[in-house]
């Protein structure tokens, strides 16, 4: 049996008529860039988040970068984030000319640790970028308290968690802006590149709209800007998928619960934890082997057995060869949890269109592997985390 990592084509076939209809509408309108479909989609995206504004952009990296620019953050400023995320989170800080400051993640959620943020603040710190990693939100209540106390801006990198929320907050409500990516592998993805930003701040909305379109405020009138527009065909595709997003996230949660029930007695790895009151939307279902040397062995075993398992992200950003040391980045304190995550994480196939046979096959293969190594786990070692966190996201 083969279990693919992504289900894009299945998803297309399931809602083909809705996607095709929106593409046809755009093609027949003759307006392909900054047209009515983009406007419609932006209104839908803002309504989905309950924010006043939403702006469609070319990709999720630009969304972070333009949000930083709109907030006036650049050379000489420090922006705190964590190194166990996709490279683009830090890349956007460097493009803006600011310095990325890496702090540790929480060992349970893998999202940024609020205590580590507070310890890393210097007079140069201007903003925090928490990433809602794998589908679960960072502790925005704690983060926004720290930001208020130290007068810092907050940009949520929500490329992986549209539709997730915390116990007392929704994405976009406790920050200056929340950015996202609609690249195909995300939980809301188009068939190509694109991204966006939601905010309740009229100034950020206005600035990002200007920056994405060559600094233009009216025809032939330009100030400093770029080209980072979301075209109408992609807006139409995402608009069709957005209508199904809650049902897609529910399906992801259902498969995650099946994985968790099937794997809970395994000894050689830990399972993802959904904190109380949070809605985890399982963009990824990530397990972590107790020993680093087991990670690649398990991935190889699964791949050989037809299960397309992957790793996210197996090199922490500060260990990448392209990591720009010096003025552009620094590490604040220990990042041991983030470094451990990089060498032990395995993402199992996760998408709404999986079926029970496929999920059960993955479970069976993972259990088969676990049975070979379980005896090497020291007695008393917990097979799964309790749900308690190191810091304030308890
Ligand atoms: C956490 C995170 N931030 C930013 C990005 C960048 O998005 P994009 O690839 O659309 O530029 C991605 C995904 O690719 C991501 O996963």
């Amino acid at each position: 049996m083969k279990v693919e990592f992504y289900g894009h084509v299945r998803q297309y076939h399931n809602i083909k008529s809705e996607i095709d209809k929106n593409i046809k509408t755009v093609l027949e309108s003759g307006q392909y860039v900054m047209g009515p479909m983009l406007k419609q989609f932006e209104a839908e995206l803002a309504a989905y988040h309950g924010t006043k504004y939403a702006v469609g952009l070319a990709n999720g990296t630009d969304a972070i970068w333009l949000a930083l620019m709109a907030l006036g953050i650049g050379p000489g400023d420090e922006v705190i984030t964590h190194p166990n995320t996709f490279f683009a989170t830090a890349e956007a800080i460097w493009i803006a000319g600011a310095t990325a400051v890496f702090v540790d993640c929480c060992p349970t959620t893998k999202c940024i640790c609020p205590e580590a943020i507070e310890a890393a603040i210097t007079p140069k710190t201007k903003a925090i970028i928490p990433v809602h990693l794998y589908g679960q939100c960072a502790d925005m209540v704690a983060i926004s308290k720290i930001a208020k106390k130290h007068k810092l801006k907050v940009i949520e990198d929500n490329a992986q968690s549209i539709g997730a929320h915390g116990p007392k907050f929704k994405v976009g409500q406790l920050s200056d802006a929340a950015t996202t990516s609609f690249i195909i592998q995300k939980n809301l993805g188009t068939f190509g590149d694109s991204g966006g930003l939601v905010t309740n701040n009229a100034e950020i909305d206005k600035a990002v709209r200007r920056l994405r379109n060559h600094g233009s405020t009216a025809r032939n009138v330009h100030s400093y800007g770029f080209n980072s527009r979301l075209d109408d065909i992609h807006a139409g595709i995402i608009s069709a998928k957005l209508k199904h997003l809650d049902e897609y996230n529910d399906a992801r949660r259902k498969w995650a619960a099946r994985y968790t029930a099937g794997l809970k007695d395994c000894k050689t790895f830990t399972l993802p934890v959904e904190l109380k009151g949070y809605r985890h939307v399982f963009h990824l279902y990530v397990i972590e082997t107790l020993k680093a040397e087991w990670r690649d062995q398990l991935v190889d075993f699964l791949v050989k057995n037809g299960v397309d398992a992957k790793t996210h992200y197996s090199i922490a950003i500060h260990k990448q060869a392209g990591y720009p040391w010096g003025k552009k980045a620094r590490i604040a304190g220990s990042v041991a949890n983030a470094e451990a995550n990089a060498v032990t994480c395995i993402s199992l196939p996760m998408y709404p269109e999986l079926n029970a046979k496929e999920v059960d096959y993955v479970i069976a293969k993972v259990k088969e592997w676990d049975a070979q190594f379980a005896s090497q786990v020291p007695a008393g070692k917990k097979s799964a985390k309790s749900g308690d966190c190191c810091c304030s996201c308890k």
Side-chain angles (χ1 to χ4, degrees):
M1 184 169 193
K2 280 220 168 320
V3 185
E4 305 290 344
F5 194 76
Y6 298 117
H8 313 317
V9 179
R10 289 185 191 176
Q11 188 163 90
Y12 174 57
H13 285 298
N14 286 347
I15 58 163
K16 185 176 186 310
S17 61
E18 294 157 66
I19 290 175
D20 290 358
K21 180 170 161 266
N22 281 4
I23 293 174
K24 189 163 176 271
T25 301
V26 175
L27 291 179
E28 288 180 348
S29 75
Q31 291 173 276
Y32 310 127
V33 179
M34 307 286 271
M37 187 59 88
L38 174 63
K39 212 171 166 193
Q40 176 195 313
F41 169 63
E42 288 178 337
E44 290 165 353
L45 191 65
Y48 185 82
H49 285 87
T51 52
K52 287 187 190 155
Y53 311 101
V55 189
L57 296 164
N59 57 65
T61 313
D62 286 8
I64 303 169
W65 161 48
L66 297 183
L68 286 166
M69 280 203 75
L71 289 165
I73 294 167
D77 298 332
E78 291 186 350
V79 179
I80 297 173
T81 191
H82 56 122
N84 60 315
T85 167
F86 182 58
F87 193 74
T89 309
E91 190 181 26
I93 299 170
W94 302 328
I95 299 169
T99 301
V101 176
F102 296 120
V103 301
D104 213 357
C105 67
C106 163
T108 303
T109 63
K110 317 302 168 198
C111 292
I112 196 165
C113 169
E115 285 169 6
I117 295 174
E118 193 145 29
I121 294 170
T122 72
K124 289 183 176 173
T125 308
K126 291 290 175 319
I128 306 163
I129 304 186
V131 182
H132 301 319
L133 200 71
Y134 304 156
Q136 182 159 235
C137 290
D139 183 353
M140 288 305 299
V141 174
I143 292 165
S144 69
K145 260 191 210 153
I146 295 168
K148 263 198 193 123
K149 185 170 150 197
H150 297 275
K151 298 193 171 44
L152 304 176
K153 303 293 183 191
V154 181
I155 298 167
E156 297 169 76
D157 180 347
N158 194 32
Q160 305 191 356
S161 306
I162 302 187
H165 62 71
K168 293 177 200 149
F169 65 87
K170 277 177 148 185
V171 169
Q173 302 295 359
L174 294 180
S175 63
D176 295 277
T179 63
T180 197
S181 165
F182 301 118
I183 193 168
I184 179 68
Q185 56 266 51
K186 302 304 184 204
N187 69 323
L188 178 62
T190 184
F191 302 119
D193 274 312
S194 62
L197 169 153
V198 296
T199 181
N200 285 315
N201 181 320
E203 291 304 312
I204 294 176
D205 174 70
K206 211 167 115 191
V208 173
R209 281 178 190 283
R210 184 171 40 75
L211 289 167
R212 78 168 170 186
N213 192 26
H214 305 291
S216 178
T217 43
R219 190 167 176 78
N220 295 325
V221 180
H222 300 271
S223 59
Y224 192 62
F226 312 90
N227 179 355
S228 183
R229 298 174 302 228
L230 165 60
D231 66 67
D232 282 51
I233 287 186
H234 283 113
I237 295 167
I238 316 163
S239 167
K241 290 194 179 190
L242 181 60
K243 295 181 179 67
H244 296 275
L245 183 61
D246 288 341
E247 128 211 356
Y248 290 158
N249 284 339
D250 284 345
R252 288 174 182 274
R253 288 173 58 77
K254 180 180 84 180
W255 299 130
R258 198 170 180 109
Y259 275 140
T260 297
L263 298 173
K264 70 179 183 335
D265 295 328
C266 290
K267 300 275 184 285
T268 56
F269 51 84
T270 59
L271 300 173
V273 167
E274 181 182 55
L275 292 178
K276 200 163 165 248
Y278 282 71
R279 175 176 161 83
H280 194 321
V281 296
F282 292 98
H283 160 60
L284 297 171
Y285 186 93
V286 180
I287 62 174
E288 275 189 286
T289 54
L290 297 188
K291 290 186 185 176
E293 65 261 33
W294 285 344
R295 195 269 301 279
D296 291 346
Q297 290 174 23
L298 176 51
V299 172
D300 286 351
F301 176 84
L302 292 174
V303 169
K304 274 191 197 116
N305 282 281
V307 175
D308 190 13
K310 296 195 185 297
T311 57
H312 296 84
Y313 299 92
S314 58
I315 307 176
I317 297 179
H318 59 285
K319 296 208 163 176
Q320 293 281 359
Y323 174 70
W325 289 100
K327 279 189 178 168
K328 287 212 154 186
R330 70 177 176 85
I331 296 168
S334 162
V335 287
N337 293 327
E339 288 178 350
N341 184 226
V343 295
T344 58
C345 61
I346 300 177
S347 307
L348 300 181
M350 172 53 74
Y351 46 93
E353 298 75 18
L354 279 166
N355 60 50
K357 257 193 182 161
E358 290 168 327
V359 173
D360 291 346
Y361 178 75
V362 178
I363 292 170
K365 288 294 150 193
V366 175
K367 282 173 86 169
E368 197 179 312
W369 186 88
D370 178 76
Q372 294 174 53
F373 295 91
S375 62
Q376 295 181 28
V377 176
K381 186 98 188 169
K382 270 190 179 173
S383 64
K385 287 182 182 137
S386 63
D388 278 348
C389 188
C390 61
C391 52
S392 41
C393 38
K394 278 177 190 144

